[in-house]
Amino acid sequence: MTSRKSDVPIPKLAGVCGWPIHHSLSPVLHNYWLKAAGISGAYIPFAVRPDNAVAAFQSLKYTSISGVNVTLPLKRQAFLAADDHTPDALKLGVSNCLFKRDGKLIGHNTDLEGFATPLLSKIAASELSQSSVLLIGAGGASRAVIGALLSLNVPEIKIANRTDSKAESLAESVNLPSLYAVPWESRNAAVASSQVIINASSAGMSGYSDLDLDLETARPGTLVYDLIYTPRRTGLLKEAERRGCETLGGLSMLIEQARPSFRHFFGEAPPKDLDPTETLYAALKSGVR
Ligand code: NAP
């Protein structure tokens, strides 16, 4: 007996929203996992105008789209559009993932998990809870880093930003004695006392100059985590390697923040045994997404 048309399952559809969106690597990553897992579905980029973003996100409930990731500059609108929020989204007040549950639109944020998972592959939680961290940058990425570090009970977080006033207001907004701003001109002096150094600034990205940070006093074994993934190894990571530091690049964060989204959209975790790193770098190199 032939099945009726209505019995044929609709392929699962998800995507990433931004303005602009053509540069996003997320479609390459999610479609790689979909193919590997043999799931009938697709993940595509959606350009969403910022002035209508809240309405666009709310309309997801009336479509067969399972959910979307959200990137700059729409993460706050995504949060505002949601009916309910996960604890990680509430911590940051922005959402990079919207999915549907029981007819409601849920605002989630996977950046905390995405940042923390690679970090914990390099340093034990028990060690982190006794570490001093130097964080460079005070933009959107730094907020997610701070949220994750606080959840991991890091006892001291020093924020240095090229524009001192932004580091100061970020520290004030958190309002904890363990987290404070260090003047930009004192950033090099803060290196020696730090077990973990994190670059969450744009300095070192392809097309930008390298981060101006002197690692001379960094102790061997210090972990230097650069959130940037283009280039693959930034000037900061190369210098850190020369000085015997442990290093971590930004692509693992990109991959780990995508995993929980994939699970929400397609109903199962992406294959754990497949490493998408080379596929992603090939896409970056060719410029094809
Ligand atoms: P953002 O909100 O625009 O903030 C940019 C930050 O970089 C600001 O603190 C800015 O300082 C600082 N900065 C820019 N140029 C600098 C320079 N030449 N020297 C020192 N500091 C400089 O950007 P964001 O969203 O936080 O992203 C920051 C970086 O993280 C980007 O490179 C992004 O690619 C990366 N990122 C990676 C992932 C991942 O999954 N791996 C996720 C998110 C972000 P001022 O305040 O002085 O302008």
Side-chain angles (χ1 to χ4, degrees):
M1 196 174 102
T2 53
S3 65
R4 285 178 294 126
K5 259 189 181 165
S6 58
D7 293 338
V8 179
I10 300 173
K12 286 184 176 146
L13 182 62
V16 57
C17 302
W19 186 267
I21 195 58
H22 60 274
H23 62 283
S24 176
L25 270 184
S26 296
V28 176
L29 180 54
H30 285 266
N31 287 314
Y32 168 86
W33 280 331
L34 280 171
K35 195 172 168 198
I39 297 171
S40 166
Y43 183 102
I44 60 174
F46 298 110
V48 175
R49 291 185 65 91
D51 46 359
N52 280 318
V54 170
F57 294 141
Q58 283 171 341
S59 74
L60 286 170
K61 281 192 288 187
Y62 314 111
T63 71
S64 60
I65 297 171
S66 307
V68 290
N69 286 118
V70 180
T71 185
L72 298 177
L74 309 175
K75 293 184 182 184
R76 179 66 186 163
Q77 284 102 317
F79 181 88
L80 295 174
D83 301 313
D84 248 324
H85 300 93
T86 63
D88 279 359
L90 287 172
K91 266 182 206 159
L92 297 177
V94 293
S95 290
N96 71 343
C97 175
L98 290 170
F99 61 90
K100 292 183 279 187
R101 189 169 57 203
D102 302 330
K104 284 186 171 177
L105 190 63
I106 310 296
H108 184 32
N109 197 305
T110 65
D111 280 337
L112 297 172
E113 188 177 341
F115 167 79
T117 302
L119 178 65
L120 291 170
S121 73
K122 287 282 187 179
I123 180 167
S126 55
E127 207 180 321
L128 262 177
S129 67
Q130 298 174 49
S131 296
S132 178
V133 172
L134 173 61
L135 170 61
I136 307 289
S142 296
R143 288 176 187 274
V145 169
I146 289 171
L149 294 176
L150 292 176
S151 303
L152 291 165
N153 301 316
V154 170
E156 185 176 54
I157 304 168
K158 298 160 285 192
I159 313 169
N161 190 53
R162 182 179 59 175
T163 308
D164 285 325
S165 58
K166 288 194 199 163
E168 286 156 13
S169 53
L170 181 53
E172 274 165 28
S173 70
V174 178
N175 194 23
L176 283 175
S178 60
L179 184 150
Y180 56 92
V182 169
W184 185 242
E185 63 177 28
S186 306
R187 65 195 181 285
N188 293 328
V191 164
S193 61
S194 305
Q195 287 77 46
V196 179
I197 298 170
I198 298 163
N199 179 31
S201 82
S202 313
M205 263 174 82
S206 301
Y208 286 64
S209 52
D210 279 341
L211 177 66
D212 182 6
L213 183 70
D214 187 348
L215 294 179
E216 195 182 342
T217 59
R219 283 173 279 180
T222 299
L223 175 61
V224 179
Y225 185 176
D226 198 333
L227 265 53
I228 289 169
Y229 52 83
T230 44
R232 193 168 188 160
R233 282 168 71 247
T234 58
L236 177 72
L237 291 184
K238 287 181 191 164
E239 178 61 10
E241 275 166 20
R242 268 196 295 277
R243 296 193 177 277
C245 298
E246 287 286 314
T247 60
L248 188 54
L251 201 71
S252 45
M253 175 174 172
L254 183 87
I255 295 168
E256 293 307 326
Q257 62 79 31
R259 279 187 196 283
S261 301
F262 185 96
R263 201 177 55 239
H264 285 300
F265 302 156
F266 300 111
E268 58 187 89
K272 200 68 185 157
D273 53 335
L274 283 174
D275 183 357
T277 304
E278 295 311 321
T279 302
L280 292 173
Y281 275 113
L284 279 170
K285 216 169 168 181
S286 69
V288 176
R289 303 280 191 275

